Amino acid sequence: MKKLLLVLIVLSVASVFIGVADLSLTAIFSGDIEALELLAVSRLPRLLAILLSGAGLSIAGLIMQQISQNRFAAPSTSGTIECAMLGYVLSLVIFGHGDNLLLIFGMSIVGTLIFIQFIHRIQFKNAIFVPLVGIIFGNVVSSAATFIAYKYDAVQNLSAWTVANFASILQGNYELLYIAVPISIISYWYATRLSAVGMGKDFATNIGLNYKQILFIGIMLVSVMSATVVMIVGQLPFLGLIVPNLVAQFYGDNLRKNIPLTAIVGAILILVCDVVGRIVIFPYEIPISMIISILGGVVFIAFIVKGKQNV
């Protein structure tokens, strides 16, 4: 834990001082107005958005894997994010703006509930088959969202959601991501009960838990966190899938213990990808979603191959 925190701090400091505009400790400590304004308006909000997104979405993936009892389940492989996108498009069409949180969160929760119902009805619950069902479901929902966007001339608005980029994060447009803090606390508080629910309805009921209530709480935490990240930043594919798996491989499967570890590792991974995206073609920037897609795809394939070898 201490080593991970040290890595996180070093990367955070590096992130603050990497950018097209020069920023130095000397300028900050000397009280340079431009340097302080750059730090407060752009660099710190960007860093906080990265940390909150990486930690929050990774925890959402951890909870999703726990309640579905599938290590390949995640917001990006369950239709959760696509349903949030559909809610965003409907918000644009119905209300004239994409800021109706109730509709976006509601669609995300409903979509995740549908996915959970799918996997509960599937008799052949192969580890890889379940997320494939989620991906197919997500594609159907995404197609519906795209169709509505074309019909009501909102394709450009929707396309901004498909590519995650922290370059546009400024003070005043990222604060909704702070929802990751209470979600992390609630997840930690409910960790034992979520673990019990992951063992199945009969087990949870036999130890006196309200299975449906705890399951819904888990789904709500996953959906709200995922929708928030997509709204503010865009899609971060595979993040909620690979981080919980990496943590589980090194630290075991204790949910309560893994929640803070998952948050830290998720934040570190996003920081690394963001820093790489900012320096590879400096002074230009590669969208972080491209980097995380490549890294996540490679790790996902490695997990599948390793899983087949262990069968």
Side-chain angles (χ1 to χ4, degrees):
M1 176 75 84
K2 291 181 180 179
K3 291 181 179 179
L4 289 175
L5 285 173
L6 179 60
V7 172
L8 182 64
I9 292 170
V10 171
L11 287 171
S12 297
V13 172
S15 176
V16 168
F17 291 99
I18 294 175
V20 177
D22 289 331
L23 182 66
S24 65
L25 282 173
T26 304
I28 293 173
F29 288 126
S30 64
D32 184 274
I33 300 299
E34 291 186 0
L36 292 174
E37 185 176 359
L38 176 63
L39 180 67
V41 175
S42 177
R43 297 292 172 82
L44 283 180
R46 177 171 183 151
L47 173 62
L48 290 171
I50 291 170
L51 297 178
L52 292 168
S53 299
L57 199 56
S58 297
I59 290 175
L62 177 64
I63 297 171
M64 173 64 80
Q65 291 176 16
Q66 189 67 42
I67 61 178
S68 65
Q69 279 298 286
N70 188 289
R71 65 193 182 105
F72 292 129
S76 57
T77 60
S78 63
T80 301
I81 290 175
E82 288 79 6
C83 287
M85 292 172 63
L86 178 59
Y88 171 74
V89 173
L90 291 175
S91 177
L92 283 173
V93 172
I94 297 172
F95 299 102
H97 59 79
D99 299 329
N100 192 293
L101 298 180
L102 185 62
L103 181 57
I104 295 171
F105 289 162
M107 289 300 298
S108 182
I109 291 170
V110 169
T112 309
L113 278 169
I114 292 172
F115 170 73
I116 294 296
Q117 289 300 313
F118 278 161
I119 63 175
H120 281 175
R121 293 174 182 272
I122 294 173
Q123 294 181 350
F124 179 62
K125 293 186 179 180
N126 179 274
I128 300 173
F129 183 71
V130 169
L132 286 178
V133 171
I135 291 171
I136 293 170
F137 170 59
N139 285 337
V140 172
V141 175
S142 178
S143 297
T146 304
F147 173 79
I148 296 172
Y150 270 109
K151 184 174 177 63
Y152 292 95
D153 196 25
V155 177
Q156 188 172 359
N157 302 77
L158 183 61
S159 63
W161 279 42
T162 60
V163 180
N165 194 348
F166 289 97
S168 60
I169 296 294
L170 297 171
Q171 186 181 43
N173 69 357
Y174 80 98
E175 282 77 6
L176 184 61
L177 288 171
Y178 279 110
I179 201 170
V181 177
I183 284 179
S184 300
I185 294 172
I186 295 171
S187 302
Y188 189 82
W189 180 264
Y190 275 90
T192 304
R193 280 165 278 190
L194 289 169
S195 296
V197 165
M199 299 296 289
K201 184 176 182 179
D202 292 338
F203 179 84
T205 304
N206 287 337
I207 62 173
L209 293 178
N210 187 326
Y211 175 80
K212 290 184 177 180
Q213 182 186 74
I214 303 299
L215 180 65
F216 182 75
I217 289 172
I219 289 171
M220 187 173 65
L221 293 173
V222 171
S223 303
V224 171
M225 189 67 249
S226 304
T228 301
V229 171
V230 177
M231 284 174 60
I232 305 299
V233 178
Q235 290 193 51
L236 294 169
F238 296 112
L239 181 67
L241 187 152
I242 61 177
V243 173
N245 277 285
L246 288 173
V247 171
Q249 288 210 354
F250 287 99
Y251 298 99
D253 293 319
N254 186 303
L255 181 61
R256 186 183 292 274
K257 175 185 174 182
N258 284 0
I259 285 174
L261 289 168
T262 299
I264 295 171
V265 174
I268 289 173
L269 181 60
I270 289 298
L271 267 173
V272 170
C273 292
D274 183 66
V275 169
V276 170
R278 291 156 77 176
I279 63 177
V280 167
I281 55 172
F282 187 85
Y284 303 103
E285 189 170 324
I286 299 174
I288 192 172
S289 57
M290 294 177 62
I291 299 173
I292 195 69
S293 293
I294 296 171
L295 177 63
V298 171
V299 175
F300 185 46
I301 292 171
F303 282 145
I304 293 174
V305 171
K306 185 175 181 180
K308 287 185 176 181
Q309 289 175 348
N310 292 335
V311 174

